[in-house]
Each structure stands twice: as C-alpha cells, then as structure tokens.
Amino acid sequence: MKPASFEYFAPTSVADAVSLLQEHGLEAKLLAGGQSLVPLLNMRLARPTVVIDVNRVDGLSYVREDGDALAIGAMTHQREVERAELVQRVNPLLHAATRLIGHPQIRNRGTVGGSIAHADPAAELPAVALALDAEMHITGPNGEKAVPAADFFVTYLTTTLEPAEMLTEVRVPALPQGTGWSIQEMARRHGDFALAGATVTLSMNGGMCSDARVVLFGVGATPLRVQQAEERLIGERVDAALISEIGREISSSIDEPLADIHATSEYRRNLAGVLTERALVEALGRAA
Amino acid sequence: MAAKRDIRLTVNGVAYEATVEPRMTLVDMLRGELGLTGTHVGCEHGVCGACTVLMDGRAVRSCIMLAVQADGADFMTIEGLASREGELHPIQQAFIEERGLQCGFCTPGFMMSILELLQETPDPTDDEIKDALGGAICRCTGYESILKSVRSAAKKLLAPAS
Amino acid sequence: MTFEFPKSLDDLPISSPKWVGKPVNRVEDPQLVTGKTEFIDNITLPGMVHCAILHSPHAHARIKSIDMSRAAALLGVVATLTGEDAERWSRPMYTTPQGWGGYVLATDKVRFVGEPVAAVAATSRYIAEDALELIDVEYEPIDPIVDAFSAAQPGSPKVFEEHDDNIMYQRVFTWGEVDESFQKADHVYKESFRWNRVGANPLETFGVISEWDLVDDTLTCRGAFQTASFMAMGRAATFRLPSNKVRFIAQPHGGSFGGKGGGRGTDITLMLSRKAAGRPVKWIEDRMEYLSSGGSQAWDRHYEASIAVNDDGTVTALRVKLLDDMGATAEGFGATGAVKPMASFTGCYAIPNAEYDLTLVATNKLPASPYRGMGPPPHNFVLEQMMDIAARDLGLDPAEMRRRNFIPADQFPYIIASGNEYDSGEYEAALDKVLEMAGYEQLRREQEEARAQGRHVGIGVVSTIEPGVFDWNAYTVIGTQGIGIPEGVTVAIDTMGKITARVGFALEGQGQYTVVTQLLAEYFGVELEDVRVVLADNLSAPPNFGPGGSRLGVAITGAVLGAAQRLTEKLTKVAAKLFEVQPEDVELLDGMLRVKSVPESQLSVANAAAIMLNRSDMLPPDVDPSPQATFAWTAPGRVEPDEQGRVKSYLTAANACHLVMVEVDPDTGQVEILKYYIADDCGTRLNPANVEGMVQGAVAQGVGATLLEEYVYDDDGQLLTASFMDYLLPTIHEVPFPEKAALVTPSPFTPLGAKGAGESAIHTTPAAIMCAINDALLPLGVRAKEVPASPNRLWKLIQGASG
Ligand SMILES: Cc1cc2nc3c(=O)[nH]c(=O)nc-3n(C[C@H](O)[C@H](O)[C@H](O)COP(=O)(O)OP(=O)(O)OC[C@H]3O[C@@H](n4cnc5c(N)ncnc54)[C@H](O)[C@@H]3O)c2cc1C
Ligand code: FES
Ligand code: FES
C-alpha cells in the first residue's frame, strides 16, 4: 500500500499554484490536508502524476470576522476553526459541524478548503456551507471569483472548480442572533462519515417561523437543500405535529439515495426524515 | 521515478537530514530512513491511529502525510517521551501501572494523542479523553485501562513536582 | 519420576505468596511503552529486499497466462515468483480437512478475490508495488460460487474440480436419546440464525523476513508467528526439508487472536529468497491485504437449532445444524472453529442429549481462519437465544430458566453430552453475583417503566463456558492430528544467582512472560528483577506450541513448576552434601535450602547454584554441574474421540455470567448499551490484572462482532469491506466498561488451579447483547436472528413489525 510515483511541487503563492495547475492539467492534484487524498494515493486509487502541495502557500490560513460573515482561509485546519472562540460566538453551527468531522488528529491536518473542495456528499462542512449560504472564493487562470454554495456542489466528489482553479477562501455569513440551529447525524461509529445527516436553521418571530433552512447530507450526490420543508415551516407555528409531518414527507419524497453496505437507500431515506425531525426539535429549542 | 528531495527536520530535539522520494510517506521515512521504529503502522489509510506523532505540537497521522511535507517541521515520537537518561514519562508510568496496554502495538500512537490532550487540557473529563482518543484503535485492551491510564497520567502531571 | 503439582498457592515453597496471584506490573511493559520492542517490521537485515504480492481481482477464474517479464525488468526488482515455482519447489498447502487447497501461489485457477497469484522482491516496497503493476495476467473468469446454500446443493458448480462437490465435511454427531427426547418433550422450539463473517484484526498485521541459504538448504524465518514451532514443521513438510534445517524465530507481535495467518506469506518469501540467491526477503502484509487475503475472516454461519423443553423449563435435548462457509480452501484452520463448540456444546447446562449436524462448504471467498474463542461464540449466541425463546414461552424469567438448567456445583467433574469434561464450576453463584451487582429486580422495574414510556429497553442474562487448554485430540474428528503438543521451559540459575527462563513463544500481549517471572520469583524466593524470560527459536527451545485455545497460561505454569521442582531436586542434593544430611532432610522455603530439623543450617538457592558451577569438589556424585532444568507440561489422560466424536479435549471450563441492558432506538435501529455487569470465574488468577484486561478486551471484540464488524461480499465474490473505513472495529466510544466481579473456583486438574482464560468474554458478550436486544424488541413481536445487529438490520426488522 504505497503511492505510485509523482512529481512534487510546493508553491508558495496562490498564483504559482494556479500556474502549476494550468501547466499540468488533469494530471495534477492539489494537496491540502491530505486526509482524503493521501489514503487514496496509498491505495493507488488516486494516481496523479503531479502533486501540488499548497501547505506552503502563505496567507491561506485564517479565521476573520469580515462584516456580517466569517472569512476562512482555505488552508485553515479544521481544528483551528473548532478552537476559534470567534467561530463559536458568531457561528455555533459551524463550530458544531466541524467537531463532527472525524477525530482531532484528522482535524489537525484536514483543511476547510479541502473538505469543501473534496465535496464528499456525507461531509459536514459542505452541508453547513449550503445551509448558511456560504460563498466560495476561487482563484483561477482568469483571476478571482466567488461562487455561492448553492451553485458549487455539482455531484458526487465534484464541484464547479475547474482543473486549474483553487479554492482560497470560504465566507460564511454569521448566524443571526436568536436563530435556532442544529446538526444531527447518524454514523456507525463516533467520528465516521455519516450514513445520513440533517442540518437546520430556524428563525422564530412571535411564535411563528420567519425563516428556515433544511439541508440533508449523505443522502444524495451533493448536500441537499429541502425547500419544500422550508416552505412548510415558514409562517407556521412549529409544533411536534408539523415536525413529524415534515420528517415523514422527507422520508417519502427525497430521491432514492445511494445504497452501500452500511445503509440501504430505504434506510437512508428514513434516517433523513428522522434526523430532520430531531434537528428541528433541537433548533426550535435554541431559537429565541 | 520522480526526483528525490532533500529535507531537514527535527525529531525529539535532534536535527536530521534525509533524501526522499516525494511519494514516501512520513511514517516510512521516520521508521525506514531515520530508524525511529517506535511509531507503528496499523492501516496506512488514516483510520487506526497507530502511526500518530506530534508535528509542531499537534497529533497527526504520519501514514497519510508525505515525508517531503516534514521539511522544516519539529516532531515528537514515542522515542522522545522518556528522558534521555531513560526515566519514563508520567504517561508511560501510568500505562504500566494501569495496564493501558497488552500487545503494546497501539501504545505509541495513543501516547502521542494523550500528550497533545494533556498539554492543552491538563485535567480532562472522561468525555474529553474519549474525544481525544476516539480515532485510535486498540484491539487488545477494550480501552478501559487506557482511559484509566490517562486519568492517572493527568494526576501525575498535575501533582507538584516533588 | 511423577510430579505432584502444587494445587494451590499455599503449596508453593514460600511462607506467604508475594508475587503470584497479585496484579504485579508486567515485565514486558517498559520496552513496549518506550517503543523499543522489536516487532518484525522494525528489523532490517543486510541485503534485505522487500516483497509485494499480486492478488487475484477475481473470485473465480482460470489463469490463462502470467507474464512476469516487464516486472522483472524494472530497475530494483531482484526476483519474481509465480505458481510455477511453487509447483516445482513446494507441496500443496496443508489443509484441514485434508485435500482442500492448492499451492501458495495460484496455478491453474484462482478461487477467491485476494488469492496470491505472483510475487516480486525488490529493493523497496514502493518499487515492489510498482512492479506488480507490470505483471500481465490473463484471466478467464468463471461464475463465482458465493452463496453457501447454493454451494452445498448437489450439482452446484465446483470450487475444486477434483472433488465431487463443494462439501468439505459433513457429519451428524448424535449424543444420547435425541429423537426420543424431542418426541417426549412438552415443548419443542425451533429457530434459524445467521452469523456473518468477522475476524481477528490484530493491530499489527502479519510480517516475516525469510532467508533460504542455498549452500546447505537451511531456512531461517523471523516473523510475527503465533506458533513458531508448528509453523516450522509445516515449512519442512512443504519444502521437503529435514525439519532441523528450518529455523523459526518468533518476534514479539502486536496481537494475534488466532487470526495472524502467515503461512502463504512465509512460503512466498522463502521461495523469493531462494530465487534471490538467499537474500533476506521481507514481507509486511498491509491492512488491505490482511482484510482481503490474510487470516482475517472467521465464522460465516447459517444455523438451525431446536430444543426440547419440559413444562418446568428443564431442557432435555439440543439439536444444532450448522452450515459453515469455509471459503475457498481449508488452509486456514477455520474448520477447527466449527468443531470446538463440541467442547462446550450444551453450555453451562445439564442437557443430557444433543445432536450436531455439521456441514463445511467451500465457496469462492477468503478461506476462514481461527478467531479468538475459536468457534463457540456463534454457537453460544444460538444456544442462548433458544434458552430465551423457551423462557418467554414458558413465562419464566430468563435468569430463572438458566438456573433451572445449570449443572449443579456438586456434580463436577461433569461430562457433557458431547463428551468433554468440565473440571469445576459454580454457575449459580456466578449468576447470583451478577444479579446482585446489577440489582436485577430493580433493573427489571426500570425496564417496565421505560417500556411504559414507549422506550425499547431490554436485558440479557447469559452464562457461558470458556473451554480452556485444548489438546491434540480436540480436532482429530476433522483430520487435524497432533496439534496441542506440550509446552516447555528451561530454567537456569547462573553463578550470580540470577534466573533465566527460556521459552519458545513470543510476546503477544497476554502477559505470559510476567506470569513466568512471577512464578519463578515466588518459587525461588527472589525479586522479580532477578528473573528474566528469553525467547528461544524452535531449534533451541524446549517443546512448545505457544498461545492458542486458552492454553498457554495453564501449560506454562505447569512447565515452570515442573522445571523449578526438577532444579530444586538438584539444588537440594548440593545442600544435603554440604550439611552432611540426606536430600530428604532438606527443603526449599523462601529461597533457602534448609535442613528441616535444623533450620539455621541453610543455603541460598543462589549459593547452591554457584557451588554447582564453581566447586566440583562440593558436587554430589550424582549431580551434573548444571543448575538448569527443562520441563514440558502436557495434560494427562487425553485419548482419541469415540465413534461419536466424544472426547475429553479441553482440560478446563471457565465460566462467565454477563448481564447487559440495552436500548434500541426504533427510529434508527441504533443500539445503546446502558448497563453491563460481569461475573467471571476462571479459577485461580495468577495475575488478576492480566485476566481483567483480557475480559475487557474480549468484551470489546464481542461488541464489535455483535454490533459493528462484518465482512461483506457481493454476488460476484468481491469483498466490500477491504479497509478500516468499512470493516468497523469498535473504538473507545462504542465499548462499554462493565462492572466486573471475580469468582474463584479452582480447577482440580491444573497446577495452582488456574483455568484457561485468554478468550473469556467473547464467548458471552455477543449472546448477552443479542438476548438484550431481543428482550427490548419483545413488545414489537419481532426477533433479531442475525449478527451483527446493525442499525439498518434492526430498523428493517422493526419496520416489519409495525408495517
Ligand atoms: C479517519 C478519517 C475520518 C474522517 N472523517 C470525516 C468526517 O466524519 N467528515 C468529513 O467531512 N470528513 C472526514 N474525513 C475527511 C477529512 O475531513 C478531510 O480533511 C477532508 O475531506 C479533506 O480535506 P483535506 O484538507 O485533508 O484535503 P486533501 O485530502 O488534501 O484534498 C482532498 C481533495 O480536495 C482537493 N483540494 C484540497 N484543497 C483544495 C483547494 N483549496 N482548492 C481546490 N481543491 C482542493 C484536493 O486536490 C483533493 O482532491 C475523515 C478522514 C479520515 C482519514
Ligand atoms: S497506520 Fe496511520 S492511521 Fe493507521
Ligand atoms: S494493546 Fe494491542 S492493540 Fe492496543
């Protein structure tokens, strides 16, 4: 179980990284935290002939408050996000989601950008990015651009990133004061990728739901926003009956999820509903 | 074969130079090139934790890092835990007293994670211990004695030096 | 000379025990906690090259051609190997049952995904793996045979053309009046069960460094061998070499649990070394290799069971029909796991009649290997479900149901229906202990309350036997002869009075070197630091087998005490000469050889040894100047099985009672273990901390097998769980920490009364958790019959109930 041979570059600037990507095209892979890429290299399931290690690129590791949002450098270790008091304060959902990623040793190396660019459909950060309307800042041969999370995730392990583009920053809007939130997932073991998960934000106003976000993960090819459920919530008094109705609707309406050895698609559908219910209950309890 | 690269790193306070192929994993370099065989390999895909070392003070899996990435970094491995005179670290003492090991193959990796934990959280709760160790596999002990070892090590480290 | 082994700690030559029976720290630990222990992969020999093995991607295919030329031409490749070499140089693998295997590298066809097809040796493992990609193999796929039931059908396509069908072994063992008992019974219960493949997964995989000296045809292998001497004999046979030309050095290893494997890797590296002009060849099995082609998989079972029960709850007969899927060959000794349940077939119960209908079938999957417990854990799961089914129907509390069937404490030694003899036991006391610890009645009330709130909480109470100390006769019914050889030790005292014990088994995690140290320090009245245990290779060690079948603790205790006694006889003669008395007048006590009637006349053991080595003038005429003694222990009275396979095979019967309370989440099928209590009785505990560690470790493995672990093959025979991302070992979050109590019912048959204890809780945990789950599901009217009880499976079951 040893990687096949590859050329290795360790650029120190985003511009250099991008021009290396441009030069080597599909043969090249960016190496961020390596927590997804290196296992695949070891198994020879990923076989880039060029590895571009962006760990030495300056200035891509930070968590900053920028207006109403958090600006997070793509190379920021997940563990830094988890530790940042700022994140806990401004966006407790992001904090909670980050803690659900693997284990501390994985988060010590794994990066925010890596997780989002890797786009595993069961990963927490892509789901939360979608739920919170995060914006992906991307640098490519034609300069910089920003892509909303809603447009970013294309399908299984695939995003809108072009081969010569690099994700440089993720901007996550702050969770408005009083917004209820929750992230619920079911994994075979603590720290494993989720079989399915749901993350919810809920704003209540005078006993009525004024805004809601419902995003599922692990049940489709990308994180899945369930607008139908959001519409059912907005303008309603959210109670147990409504919540279980929404759960049931989700279980019966979402497209057939992928099956694997741990979960049939039928079971995943069920989990999606159950976890949404649980997330709604918790978010409601937190909403002010 | 891709061109080899020269790297410099510090391990347990000792400076090393090595020339490695880019594809070589960090753990293969530590064990094979530097002869630091106390760090073990259980899976080579990041799941078991046997290969855990401290890189710039952070517990990381050395099987899913490349040796070239170690250039300029400061590492600690199991070989650096006891004093150079051979006096065991309180974590090691605790493991012996609380039977935190059976075959001992997982032990170096666990100890590195525990070291990181106790440096940041000198008096951890059981839940904090479990969170810190949840990514490591021990097939022998059933973990109870490892948990006890951590509690005991924390006590030893907190006790004023006598 | 006959030996009178000390029956208890009181019989040792000391005033009061200082080491034995105490939880002393382990002598192996300082090396282990500093990372200094020499595991096989730490060793580099001069000129050493690295092996990588090409594994079959097909479950079943004919090999049309193999072209190694591109691989051989790669820079750094030193040697290549294919089945042709294996055919030329070796015999087909030894199998149990015999005749169900091929060569270590496939020749005509491949029979499972992962089967070794070719190998290379190169200057690094990286290059060796590069070379694998340059091997050109042309396969002609054949329909794989994956399902055990279809494989067992007459007319099924065959795994081995030379056999009539896929049935490796089939036999019905009948013990007592089985048909009559079922006819006469007030109640008969019948059910079928499924246990899916699980396995050992020690954290260290197998590894070996082999050298084939071409000048005088001697082999030297260093490796993670669980049973080095046994492996060495196998190699001598495989390569048709004189057995004293095969040297095996076992390195300390990172666990085994019966599933270290290694036969193929050892032979492949040996032949590669032969091709590489005798250079040492190292092979470290990687984890994916371990999972897909190593000693990793065990117990792939389909059960049908029935019990005959009277109105009062007494069970009169048990019938178990097992279809055990052995995978492609019988090379892995997996078949022994189907036979071992005969050693404790009827568990803790006095069930007079029983029948075992056993079929071993070949399929295109990885050959089955042993795993801790060696087979009874699934059997116990089946038996205990049946006990609960009967209890429920009769309206008996499950604990009471068991109590009514226990073998009474005054009936030991007791011969069970299947022929094995249980040495001693206090099953009811263990049950009572657990019920008391758990506050059983209160727990049942809590369960009622939870049920009233709509929660699905259940309790399982299960008692099992751990057969210990297997012997040569345990597996003869399936054609395995001669496993279970004696365990020996050589004890030497040097001129400075320090003691060295030489053994033939490597460190593996059970703490046996510590036990040897404790025993010798105790016997000769010295400190632990005065004793050292060293490992000898197979050619210089006394007869030995090593760990396996929960035997080593007992066997090595016998060996050490025997050797110590032999040595004492010599030392006594030296002292007698010095004090001018008869040897009978001298005794050993607290490390002193003293004249019984004149206790002031005493000579230390150290001095007596020094006299032997340095003063020929003071040596008695019938004593050689060697303060050393060797003793090999074996259990007495082991004879061949009778015509129904009945045999006294395992010398000791340890007992454990587990009580576990779980909650099942009906919406997700997730099981949470709420409470767990254990009372464990393995006789005298030589080092109680060792035993407790084993119990807890085996609980973890039991939890893994019951809730998480499973090898899954698809219909094409592809393994879907070839990494630790998918084969799920329990972590610190999933393993409960039961409250544990020890009972001590010494064995009347063993030195110091110790019983085999290495497998412990894995016999009980799966059964107990499954009983608890089914208790939780009771109000829903469904029953879980498949292990592991994964969330998906339980959820589906519960859906079936309400829908
Ligand atoms: C044992 C284990 C458990 C895990 N559990 C979880 C879990 O529960 N949840 C979870 O979400 N993840 C989990 N992970 C994965 C982990 O979170 C990874 O860190 C993450 O998926 C990838 O981040 P990385 O920085 O390591 O990226 P890498 O592995 O370095 O890269 C992953 C991919 O993204 C690309 N990439 C990386 N950075 C960029 C960038 N800035 N721009 C463009 N492309 C980029 C790479 O080229 C590569 O294709 C686990 C991993 C392990 C080993
Ligand atoms: S060997 Fe690195 S995590 Fe298992
Ligand atoms: S002590 Fe053996 S794996 Fe942990």
Side-chain angles (χ1 to χ4, degrees):
Chain A
M1 235 177 126
K2 310 289 181 192
S5 231
F6 50 75
E7 292 283 333
Y8 174 82
F9 297 96
T12 51
S13 71
V14 172
D16 287 354
V18 168
S19 61
L20 281 164
L21 279 172
Q22 222 179 341
E23 186 182 333
H24 296 284
L26 289 169
E27 298 286 283
K29 272 264 172 217
L30 286 187
L31 172 62
Q35 304 300 287
S36 293
L37 181 58
V38 180
L40 295 173
L41 293 178
N42 287 357
M43 296 174 183
R44 300 196 178 200
L45 291 174
R47 312 224 18 180
T49 56
V50 172
V51 167
I52 302 166
D53 180 356
V54 285
N55 282 277
R56 294 184 195 274
V57 172
D58 269 343
L60 284 184
S61 175
Y62 54 84
V63 183
R64 288 198 283 264
E65 207 166 4
D66 189 350
D68 264 357
L70 286 173
I72 304 175
M75 289 302 292
T76 310
H77 291 139
Q78 294 150 6
R79 199 78 188 284
E80 298 313 321
V81 174
E82 171 189 353
R83 282 164 207 267
E85 192 272 331
L86 174 65
V87 177
Q88 267 194 67
R89 183 160 49 79
V90 175
N91 203 325
L93 172 56
L94 178 61
H95 174 257
T98 307
R99 281 183 54 85
L100 289 173
I101 301 172
H103 312 282
Q105 299 81 357
I106 302 299
R107 302 197 290 272
N108 273 341
R109 285 296 294 169
T111 64
V112 171
S115 175
I116 288 177
H118 192 57
D120 191 302
E124 290 83 359
L125 290 185
V128 167
L130 184 59
L132 294 172
D133 283 331
E135 211 176 55
M136 314 307 172
H137 286 231
I138 294 164
T139 304
N142 306 322
E144 297 181 20
K145 65 180 179 191
V147 177
D151 299 334
F152 185 73
F153 301 105
V154 176
T155 180
Y156 188 73
L157 303 181
T158 309
T159 67
T160 55
L161 281 170
E162 295 292 330
E165 285 180 342
M166 177 177 171
L167 181 62
T168 52
E169 185 181 280
V170 182
R171 287 174 67 88
V172 188
L175 209 56
Q177 278 297 320
T179 307
W181 58 272
S182 174
I183 178 162
Q184 296 283 329
E185 65 176 45
M186 160 93 180
R188 290 296 303 274
R189 294 174 303 185
H190 192 99
D192 282 350
F193 271 105
L195 299 182
T199 182
V200 159
T201 63
L202 209 55
S203 307
M204 301 297 289
N205 197 341
M208 297 289 199
C209 173
S210 56
D211 198 6
R213 264 306 158 87
V214 177
V215 170
L216 306 174
F217 52 106
V219 296
T222 62
L224 223 62
R225 183 172 166 194
V226 197
Q227 264 157 317
Q228 229 178 314
E230 294 167 4
E231 283 157 17
R232 299 276 277 114
L233 287 159
I234 294 169
E236 294 293 323
R237 212 165 268 293
V238 182
D239 58 11
L242 178 61
I243 288 175
S244 62
E245 219 172 286
I246 289 174
R248 244 176 293 129
E249 279 174 18
I250 284 183
S251 291
S252 57
S253 68
I254 57 170
D255 282 348
E256 191 162 311
L258 269 182
D260 62 25
I261 56 165
H262 301 298
T264 58
S265 44
E266 186 195 8
Y267 179 58
R268 277 211 160 83
R269 269 193 178 156
N270 163 66
L271 285 181
V274 169
L275 294 168
T276 304
E277 288 180 41
R278 290 180 184 178
L280 284 170
V281 169
E282 189 177 51
L284 186 63
R286 283 186 176 133
Chain B
M1 199 190 301
K4 291 194 176 185
R5 296 200 152 222
D6 294 328
I7 57 170
R8 282 160 175 269
L9 66 161
T10 313
V11 188
N12 306 325
V14 178
Y16 292 91
E17 273 183 353
T19 304
V20 295
E21 258 193 278
R23 62 168 161 169
M24 180 176 276
T25 58
L26 174 59
V27 70
D28 281 351
M29 192 257 303
L30 290 171
R31 292 174 50 82
E33 308 294 309
L34 308 187
L36 297 168
T37 51
T39 302
H40 299 147
V41 174
C43 72
E44 290 181 286
H45 50 277
V47 183
C48 77
C51 65
T52 307
V53 300
L54 293 193
M55 178 189 187
D56 298 326
R58 290 265 183 267
V60 300
R61 310 280 211 233
S62 61
C63 71
I64 50 173
M65 263 193 73
L66 302 174
V68 283
Q69 297 187 287
D71 193 21
D74 182 21
F75 289 89
M76 163 110 169
T77 66
I78 186 69
E79 286 90 349
L81 198 53
S83 79
R84 291 210 183 176
E85 291 73 41
E87 196 193 329
L88 297 184
H89 187 278
I91 295 175
Q92 292 168 316
Q93 286 167 4
F95 263 71
I96 292 177
E97 290 159 12
E98 299 294 337
R99 297 306 193 92
L101 67 156
Q102 287 178 28
C103 80
F105 198 76
C106 68
T107 312
F110 269 94
M111 286 185 172
M112 290 299 114
S113 291
I114 292 165
L115 193 63
E116 185 195 41
L117 169 72
L118 295 183
Q119 278 170 359
E120 289 189 0
T121 317
D123 192 13
T125 62
D126 282 1
D127 281 343
E128 286 169 329
I129 297 173
K130 288 185 180 182
D131 269 343
L133 303 183
I137 303 289
C138 174
R139 192 56 162 163
C140 300
T141 62
Y143 305 103
E144 186 175 17
S145 61
I146 294 179
L147 186 89
K148 287 183 181 165
S149 302
V150 182
R151 286 188 200 140
S152 156
K155 268 209 198 89
K156 285 178 198 285
L157 286 162
L158 281 174
S162 50
Chain C
M1 186 172 9
T2 57
F3 274 84
E4 220 14 82
F5 286 102
K7 288 240 173 291
S8 73
L9 303 185
D10 298 336
D11 299 337
L12 291 171
I14 30 142
S15 319
S16 71
K18 193 168 162 195
W19 310 117
V20 180
K22 307 273 191 313
V24 304
N25 290 346
R26 304 195 317 170
V27 300
E28 38 275 80
D29 285 355
Q31 291 285 312
L32 286 166
V33 299
T34 48
K36 296 212 173 69
T37 301
E38 274 218 325
F39 295 105
I40 183 64
D41 196 20
N42 298 2
I43 296 174
T44 302
L45 298 180
M48 187 175 87
V49 289
H50 299 264
C51 161
I53 297 174
L54 182 72
H55 301 276
S56 166
H58 299 285
H60 201 186
R62 226 165 286 289
I63 297 177
K64 299 192 70 181
S65 67
I66 304 181
D67 182 354
M68 301 295 285
S69 56
R70 288 197 305 138
L74 185 71
L75 186 70
V77 170
V78 175
T80 66
L81 197 76
T82 66
E84 261 178 43
D85 303 297
E87 252 173 327
R88 187 161 61 243
W89 289 335
S90 69
R91 290 195 175 130
M93 285 175 290
Y94 178 79
T95 67
T96 304
Q98 282 169 32
W100 288 89
Y103 290 90
V104 294
L105 289 170
T107 48
D108 53 333
K109 67 174 191 174
V110 288
R111 295 186 172 83
F112 61 94
V113 169
E115 180 166 1
V117 172
V120 297
T123 49
S124 84
R125 174 71 177 241
Y126 288 78
I127 295 173
E129 291 192 14
D130 293 344
L132 296 186
E133 300 187 330
L134 302 174
I135 299 174
D136 300 299
V137 187
E138 209 185 327
Y139 296 99
E140 183 183 284
I142 312 171
D143 278 345
I145 304 148
V146 182
D147 174 64
F149 285 107
S150 329
Q153 289 298 315
S156 160
K158 290 187 287 185
V159 177
F160 282 88
E161 272 73 27
E162 56 268 42
H163 287 290
D164 296 335
D165 49 33
N166 296 313
I167 307 296
M168 288 182 174
Y169 183 86
Q170 189 158 45
R171 190 168 164 188
V172 181
F173 300 93
T174 305
W175 306 304
E177 318 274 276
V178 181
D179 288 341
E180 297 82 335
S181 306
F182 274 94
Q183 275 153 24
K184 278 195 235 144
D186 297 329
H187 309 269
V188 170
Y189 303 95
K190 192 168 176 181
E191 192 52 273
S192 47
F193 301 94
R194 170 81 172 117
W195 181 292
N196 289 285
R197 281 188 175 213
V198 294
N201 274 290
L203 199 57
E204 179 205 39
T205 52
F206 178 73
V208 63
I209 303 173
S210 298
E211 290 172 82
W212 190 311
D213 184 326
L214 297 172
V215 178
D216 58 3
D217 261 343
T218 56
L219 315 184
T220 306
C221 295
R222 291 168 178 77
F225 308 120
Q226 182 173 351
T227 54
S229 299
F230 184 68
M231 287 279 280
M233 287 302 134
R235 268 53 268 163
T238 299
F239 297 112
R240 304 181 187 89
L241 289 172
S243 45
N244 59 2
K245 289 200 162 196
V246 180
R247 181 162 171 246
F248 263 57
I249 305 162
Q251 297 302 132
H253 42 286
S256 175
F257 314 111
K260 202 80 171 175
R264 289 210 196 213
T266 303
D267 292 350
I268 288 169
T269 47
L270 276 167
M271 288 187 283
L272 273 172
S273 174
R274 181 170 175 166
K275 273 198 138 176
R279 287 174 76 165
V281 178
K282 180 191 249 189
W283 179 62
I284 302 297
E285 180 181 55
D286 69 38
R287 181 59 62 182
M288 292 181 81
E289 288 180 300
Y290 179 76
L291 290 165
S292 60
S293 66
S296 51
Q297 305 187 7
W299 312 339
D300 190 347
R301 297 187 173 175
H302 304 265
Y303 277 105
E304 259 174 53
S306 40
I307 50 173
V309 189
N310 286 336
D311 283 331
D312 65 357
T314 51
V315 181
T316 55
L318 165 70
R319 222 182 221 141
V320 177
K321 184 172 178 185
L322 167 61
L323 177 64
D324 201 351
D325 182 343
M326 289 284 106
T329 78
E331 72 193 70
F333 295 97
T336 55
V339 174
K340 182 168 169 190
M342 287 164 62
S344 56
F345 199 79
T346 41
C348 295
Y349 314 119
I351 304 175
N353 310 289
E355 187 174 282
Y356 195 20
D357 180 342
L358 175 60
T359 304
L360 307 180
V361 67
T363 62
N364 291 118
K365 297 186 208 160
L366 178 64
S369 285
Y371 176 31
R372 193 178 198 172
M374 285 285 284
H379 179 90
N380 295 345
F381 150 66
V382 168
L383 171 60
E384 296 300 328
Q385 300 314 305
M386 296 309 293
M387 294 298 280
D388 266 12
I389 288 169
R392 293 282 133 68
D393 187 62
L394 298 174
L396 282 173
D397 183 275
E400 179 58 25
M401 174 78 193
R402 285 163 174 86
R403 194 187 296 279
R404 291 189 186 181
N405 285 285
F406 280 150
I407 300 165
D410 59 6
Q411 302 274 303
F412 292 94
Y414 181 92
I415 296 178
I416 60 171
S418 51
N420 194 27
E421 182 178 45
Y422 291 175
D423 52 349
S424 64
E426 293 266 6
Y427 307 152
E428 204 167 354
L431 173 67
D432 286 335
K433 180 75 205 169
V434 155
L435 298 181
E436 177 206 314
M437 274 159 53
Y440 186 54
E441 283 173 18
Q442 173 61 24
L443 223 51
R444 284 285 180 201
R445 276 194 295 275
E446 283 173 28
Q447 180 190 22
E448 280 317 308
E449 284 161 25
R451 273 189 182 156
Q453 298 161 11
R455 292 167 58 203
H456 299 276
V457 171
I459 298 172
V461 196
V462 163
S463 297
T464 63
I465 295 300
E466 175 186 0
V469 198
F470 84 106
D471 227 300
W472 67 270
N473 58 0
Y475 302 115
T476 49
V477 294
I478 41 154
T480 313
Q481 292 287 349
I483 304 182
I485 46 184
E487 194 69 39
V489 64
T490 297
V491 177
I493 306 180
D494 66 22
T495 191
M496 315 290 267
K498 301 299 174 194
I499 301 172
T500 303
R502 204 162 75 229
V503 298
F505 60 89
L507 284 181
E508 194 174 87
Q510 302 94 329
Q512 310 288 18
Y513 285 22
T514 302
V515 171
V516 171
T517 306
Q518 286 172 276
L519 287 165
L520 284 170
E522 198 79 280
Y523 202 99
F524 291 113
V526 297
E527 299 297 311
L528 296 175
E529 296 74 46
D530 295 324
V531 180
R532 181 158 183 213
V533 183
V534 298
L535 172 74
D537 64 33
N538 65 309
L539 298 179
S540 41
N544 68 87
F545 177 76
S550 285
R551 67 185 289 284
L552 188 56
V554 169
I556 197 67
T557 300
V560 167
L561 294 173
Q565 193 174 326
R566 274 207 172 133
L567 189 48
T568 304
E569 277 160 24
K570 291 193 196 185
L571 299 168
T572 303
K573 286 181 183 166
V574 173
K577 179 167 157 107
L578 183 73
F579 297 125
E580 297 175 340
V581 295
Q582 292 303 308
E584 306 81 76
D585 299 329
V586 175
E587 65 175 3
L588 173 67
L589 190 71
D590 297 333
M592 289 293 173
L593 298 149
R594 56 183 203 185
V595 179
K596 288 176 189 164
S597 52
V598 199
E600 310 83 70
S601 297
Q602 54 178 21
L603 175 69
S604 71
V605 164
N607 283 339
I611 287 173
M612 289 173 80
L613 289 165
N614 303 318
R615 292 291 298 269
S616 55
D617 58 328
M618 294 168 72
L619 205 61
D622 60 340
V623 175
D624 64 334
S626 165
Q628 298 198 358
T630 296
F631 192 90
W633 183 88
T634 196
R638 306 287 106 177
V639 299
E640 290 202 26
D642 72 6
E643 76 294 340
Q644 283 301 325
R646 280 176 291 231
V647 63
K648 294 182 186 180
S649 54
Y650 278 74
L651 186 66
T652 65
N655 160 238
C657 183
H658 290 207
L659 189 154
V660 54
M661 187 181 200
V662 305
E663 177 160 5
V664 180
D665 179 341
D667 296 332
T668 63
Q670 183 84 308
V671 174
E672 188 188 352
I673 295 171
L674 303 175
K675 293 184 175 166
Y676 205 143
Y677 306 89
I678 295 178
D680 185 272
D681 184 352
C682 57
T684 306
R685 296 184 165 202
L686 302 172
N687 187 324
N690 280 7
V691 176
E692 259 192 46
M694 300 278 196
V695 172
Q696 179 60 27
V699 165
Q701 292 182 346
V703 166
T706 319
L707 300 175
L708 294 164
E709 298 175 36
E710 178 177 1
Y711 290 98
V712 183
Y713 282 88
D714 69 10
D715 294 343
D716 296 325
Q718 291 290 338
L719 179 65
L720 304 179
T721 50
S723 85
F724 272 176
M725 298 293 269
D726 287 313
Y727 189 82
L728 307 176
L729 298 176
T731 75
I732 197 168
H733 292 287
E734 286 78 37
V735 178
F737 300 158
E739 192 181 322
K740 305 178 191 77
L743 280 80
V744 177
T745 310
S747 171
F749 298 158
T750 66
L752 302 182
K755 297 186 180 187
E759 291 160 347
S760 70
I762 197 161
H763 286 285
T764 329
T765 299
I769 295 177
M770 291 305 291
C771 284
I773 289 173
N774 280 324
D775 191 37
L777 298 180
L778 199 63
L780 295 169
V782 290
R783 195 185 298 134
K785 295 178 283 189
E786 184 165 3
V787 171
S790 66
N792 199 156
R793 267 188 196 122
L794 287 185
W795 174 78
K796 179 112 183 109
L797 191 68
I798 294 166
Q799 288 306 103
S802 41

